[in-house]
Amino acid sequence: MKAAVVSAFDRPPQYEDFPDPVAAHDGELVVDVVAAALHPRVRSQANGSHYTSTGELPLVPGIDAVVRDPQGKLYYALLDDTALGTMAQRTIIEKDRSVALPTDADPVTVAAAINPVMSSWVALRHRITFRRASCVLILGATGSAGRMAIQVAKQFGAKEVIAAGRNPQRLSELTALGADRVLTLDQLDQAADVDVVIDYVWGEPTAKGMVDLITHRRDRGRELSWIQIGSMAGPNADIPSAVLRSSRTQLVGSGIGSVDGRDFRAEIPQIAKAVTKGAFDVRTQSIPLSDVATAWTQPLDGDQRIVFLP
Ligand SMILES: NC(=O)c1ccc[n+]([C@@H]2O[C@H](COP(=O)([O-])OP(=O)(O)OC[C@H]3O[C@@H](n4cnc5c(N)ncnc54)[C@H](OP(=O)(O)O)[C@@H]3O)[C@@H](O)[C@H]2O)c1
């Protein structure tokens, strides 16, 4: 079969022959891949920088996909890190880690949306006690996950959603998605009284923004839940200890490891249903898998998620 194959971590995957998959036991199934999206997590898998990387090569990247079983039924499948991911004509799924999709589900939209929607959906449900009428600040709101987080927070009953990012022009488009206010990352003092921060940025902007926000808080005794989900601006943030001691801030992460895999999977049917019903504004760009090497290095096109079609 053909697949996107990574043979060196410093080169994009190439469209090449790869051995046909064979199921190893009853719980596994060989399926056709219908649509597989290029999430940031897939890029870090393919360049060896993700914390789960074992350094094993060659590998086929891809952590999730919409797949078709031999009976023609569509599933959303989530894979472990494996040498055979989803950017291939066929892959192996574990039956109990896959979710049957509604018959009217659009494979490209579902493949693009579940990972970014799940990031905030699971965080708000499993990492904090989210109360309706909370005020929510999203850092990195112009990305796919941030755009979804605006919509998730509103659907979960947030009273106010403040969208923050680095690009004023892209920020200005977010009120149409439900953001009540937009701020650049150096204006977080103007979001001082929020209850929840959903942070896809980390690095220097978060270190500075957390100080700005907490030092301008009118009531330091008011609970603040800061959820660390992504690290687009860097893996480390130099946070002064005093901001944590001087405020009622709880800092938690949300991702694989801090959320049980069963909890992630348990949310997928509801997320897939919401995506299929059109509850989220999802922007996609479909590209044949044979163009993977070129697509991998093309400039990122705003908020569109690339979806490969094998
Ligand atoms: N833990 C989980 O469960 C989970 C799940 C999904 C995603 N994630 C993580 O969440 C992060 C965002 O994912 P995504 O799908 O939204 O990615 P994306 O669509 O590529 O968006 C990236 C976002 O980060 C911003 N950004 C990039 N570099 C930045 C910098 N140096 N300073 C400030 N902002 C910067 C971008 O701003 P511009 O619009 O200005 O370019 C954009 O808003 C990634 O780290 C991803 O791995 C985690």
Side-chain angles (χ1 to χ4, degrees), residues 4 10 28 42 75-76 86 96 116 132 138 159 164 198 235 262 265 270-271:
D10 58 357
E28 290 188 347
V42 179
Y75 289 83
Y76 170 78
T86 51
D96 65 358
R132 289 184 73 79
I138 298 160
K159 182 172 80 185
I198 298 177
R262 279 167 299 201
R265 289 195 294 282
Q270 246 185 300
I271 298 174

Side-chain angles (χ1 to χ4, degrees), residues 40-41 115-116 119 140-146 166-167 170 185 200-201 205 229-233 254-256 264 300 305:
R41 167 77 178 74
N115 170 276
S119 64
T142 54
S144 289
R166 63 180 177 175
N167 180 330
R170 294 187 62 197
L185 293 170
Y200 295 106
V201 173
I229 305 187
S231 45
M232 295 303 298
S254 183
I256 291 165
F264 267 113
L300 293 178
R305 173 92 346 141

Side-chain angles (χ1 to χ4, degrees), residues 180-233:
D180 298 286
R181 283 195 282 150
V182 298
L183 298 173
T184 50
L185 293 170
D186 56 2
Q187 294 178 318
L188 299 192
D189 55 311
Q190 295 174 38
D193 296 314
V194 296
D195 305 295
V196 177
V197 179
I198 298 177
D199 184 355
Y200 295 106
V201 173
W202 205 244
E204 195 270 333
T206 285
K208 182 176 176 307
M210 192 184 288
V211 174
D212 287 349
L213 189 152
I214 288 175
T215 53
H216 287 84
R217 215 157 163 75
R218 281 178 296 186
D219 175 4
R220 299 276 186 100
R222 179 172 171 172
E223 273 183 35
L224 172 64
S225 299
W226 196 293
I227 320 176
Q228 204 304 304
I229 305 187
S231 45
M232 295 303 298

